[in-house]
Amino acid sequence: MDRPVRWGIIGLGKIAHKFAHDLLLVKNSKLQGVASRSQSKAEIFAKQYNAQSIYGSYKDLITDPNIDAVYIATPHSYHKQNSLDCLAHGKAVLCEKPMGIDQIEVKEMADFAKEHNILLMEAMWSVFHPHFSFVKQKCEEGDFGKIRFLSADFGFLPEFDPNGRLYKKELGGGSLLDIGIYPIFIALYLLGEPKDISASATFYDSGADSSCTMKFDYGDGVIANLKSTLLEDTPTTCTIEFERATVIMHRRFHMPTSITITSRGLKEAKEFESIGYGYAHEIIHFNKLFREGLKESPVMPLSMSLTLSKTMDKVKNIIGLSYAKK
Ligand SMILES: NC(=O)c1ccc[n+]([C@@H]2O[C@H](COP(=O)([O-])OP(=O)(O)OC[C@H]3O[C@@H](n4cnc5c(N)ncnc54)[C@H](OP(=O)(O)O)[C@@H]3O)[C@@H](O)[C@H]2O)c1
């Protein structure tokens, strides 16, 4: 396929702006169309990022035959339906994290994509950043030995907005789904699934969690301490203690950043190249999958999205958090 991959974006909020900015930096792809619930918002967005088709309804973008791939940037509780609607119309889907509210939703999405033979990937952008692959490679090479301890946090103090998606439970609000997913992801990515999980949380009046601390126990003394919070601005770093080295992924560890490796008393700082805000890396990967006709990413496979949602469900059960509609 020689022509550019033609992208559409659904839900023109904060992250959609960053994604559109980075999409313009990626060769052989273009922003074909954008869709908002508001026509005027879509018009302003389209002008800013030079999108050709402007839609005041998501459905109109989904049925546009000139769109190949759709980036879903709506609140968590809409991810499943928006993705299924796109997949049903033959669009490849890059869906923001978390792909679904729980593992039942994620499984339904993965099964649908497989059944209809269409590309679906969760937009876990971190895994496409060079510092993530560097650390993963170090784990596989084994020079540093095995991981004995990992700690990762993600916390910030947003302005309280009772109508915002971080607070509202019906939009999938709370710290765990929004930012806890990153510390959990790095633990799963580097250490796999834990043998045991303990967790505790605090809650907003809405019932969404305002903070969550987790301990993943891998047996043989190997532990991951993880934390998400909307109550404090935390370092948002990740420390990985191997048998023969310690690696620190600096603030904020989930996005393009530097790392420090300390081994046998020697400290080495490592910098990595990044494109745009860092979303370009996942776009380049997704474009390649699309062009090659692949239906799943080998780097961020649907099995990983399922494990991620299954693990978050375990944490939710422990802290007594449920998004089931009453
Ligand atoms: N990868 C990352 O680094 C990253 C960073 C931040 C967020 N995210 C993810 O991206 C998604 C969107 O986050 P965001 O921060 O961009 O949120 P946001 O600013 O609130 O934007 C979400 C957009 O979804 C649309 N929407 C549809 N139904 C809605 C409803 N009932 N209430 C509110 N908005 C609704 C709106 O777009 P229209 O008005 O145009 O329809 C809204 O602007 C979330 O899943 C989040 O986890 C990822």
Side-chain angles (χ1 to χ4, degrees), residues 10-16 35-38 41 58 71-76 78-79 96-98 123 125 165 171 177-178 182 254 279 282:
I10 282 182
L12 307 180
K14 285 192 221 76
I15 195 63
S36 168
R37 295 162 304 165
S38 144
K41 189 175 170 189
Y58 297 168
Y71 172 60
I72 311 276
T74 50
H76 309 153
Y78 294 93
H79 288 177
E96 257 311 334
K97 39 57 62 174
W125 65 318
R165 68 167 189 84
L171 296 180
L177 289 188
D178 197 61
Y182 290 112
H254 76 301
Y279 298 96
E282 69 180 356

Side-chain angles (χ1 to χ4, degrees), residues 7 29 63 83 107 170 180 191 209 214 270 303 322:
W7 280 86
S29 57
T63 51
S83 296
K107 185 165 184 321
E170 57 269 36
L191 283 162
D209 67 294
M214 299 153 267
K270 273 198 88 59
S303 58
S322 167

Side-chain angles (χ1 to χ4, degrees), residues 28-314:
N28 234 347
S29 57
K30 68 173 183 180
L31 184 54
Q32 179 72 31
V34 292
S36 168
R37 295 162 304 165
S38 144
Q39 179 74 23
S40 59
K41 189 175 170 189
E43 279 166 13
I44 295 165
F45 193 100
K47 203 168 169 199
Q48 198 172 344
Y49 301 102
N50 201 20
Q52 287 184 8
S53 311
I54 303 165
Y55 297 112
S57 99
Y58 297 168
K59 189 169 156 274
D60 291 343
L61 182 144
I62 289 166
T63 51
D64 180 345
N66 293 317
I67 287 181
D68 300 312
V70 180
Y71 172 60
I72 311 276
T74 50
H76 309 153
S77 52
Y78 294 93
H79 288 177
K80 184 190 91 171
Q81 199 52 53
N82 293 156
S83 296
L84 292 180
D85 289 346
C86 290
L87 292 167
H89 284 85
K91 312 295 182 205
V93 170
L94 176 64
C95 179
E96 257 311 334
K97 39 57 62 174
M99 203 157 92
I101 285 286
D102 56 27
Q103 60 179 318
I104 296 172
E105 287 198 0
V106 172
K107 185 165 184 321
E108 189 181 336
M109 295 161 81
D111 286 350
F112 191 91
K114 282 180 192 164
E115 198 185 314
H116 291 80
N117 203 26
I118 303 170
L119 173 59
L120 169 66
M121 189 180 96
E122 183 171 10
M124 180 46 75
W125 65 318
S126 311
V127 75
F128 302 103
H129 295 151
H131 68 296
F132 261 61
S133 14
F134 176 86
V135 173
K136 182 75 169 168
Q137 196 186 329
K138 285 291 163 200
C139 291
E140 285 164 2
E141 283 169 1
D143 296 351
F144 293 167
K146 291 185 185 142
I147 296 174
R148 299 291 311 162
F149 178 79
L150 183 150
S151 74
D153 67 282
F154 196 147
F156 67 104
L157 185 57
E159 208 164 295
F160 180 71
D161 173 8
N163 294 313
R165 68 167 189 84
L166 289 178
Y167 177 79
K168 273 192 143 177
K169 211 167 163 209
E170 57 269 36
L171 296 180
S175 82
L176 179 68
L177 289 188
D178 197 61
I179 49 177
I181 193 167
Y182 290 112
I184 291 176
F185 177 75
I186 190 127
L188 296 176
Y189 182 59
L190 298 179
L191 283 162
E193 287 187 70
K195 286 193 161 65
D196 190 37
I197 296 176
S198 51
S200 67
T202 57
F203 294 91
Y204 292 123
D205 291 344
S206 67
D209 67 294
S210 49
S211 73
C212 183
T213 52
M214 299 153 267
K215 181 176 167 185
F216 284 11
D217 190 336
Y218 289 88
D220 191 30
V222 178
I223 295 290
N225 280 337
L226 314 171
K227 173 176 177 171
S228 60
T229 175
L230 299 168
L231 301 176
E232 56 182 304
D233 193 8
T234 69
T236 309
T237 56
C238 175
T239 300
I240 307 151
E241 294 178 12
F242 293 82
E243 288 164 316
R244 290 185 286 280
T246 297
V247 173
I248 299 177
M249 292 172 149
H250 297 290
R251 177 183 177 88
R252 284 176 160 164
F253 78 90
H254 76 301
M255 60 191 287
T257 188
S258 58
I259 67 171
T260 302
I261 304 163
T262 307
S263 183
R264 299 188 172 92
L266 293 175
K267 243 185 197 184
E268 184 195 352
K270 273 198 88 59
E271 304 283 338
F272 300 88
E273 294 259 324
S274 169
I275 311 166
Y277 292 115
Y279 298 96
H281 301 268
E282 69 180 356
I283 299 170
I284 292 166
H285 178 77
F286 195 93
N287 282 349
K288 189 166 184 288
L289 298 175
F290 184 80
R291 289 180 176 289
E292 290 176 356
L294 296 182
K295 307 304 172 196
E296 211 178 320
S297 163
V299 181
M300 186 61 204
L302 295 170
S303 58
M304 181 45 135
S305 295
L306 279 163
T307 304
L308 196 48
S309 59
K310 186 175 87 179
T311 307
M312 288 201 290
D313 279 0
K314 284 183 184 167

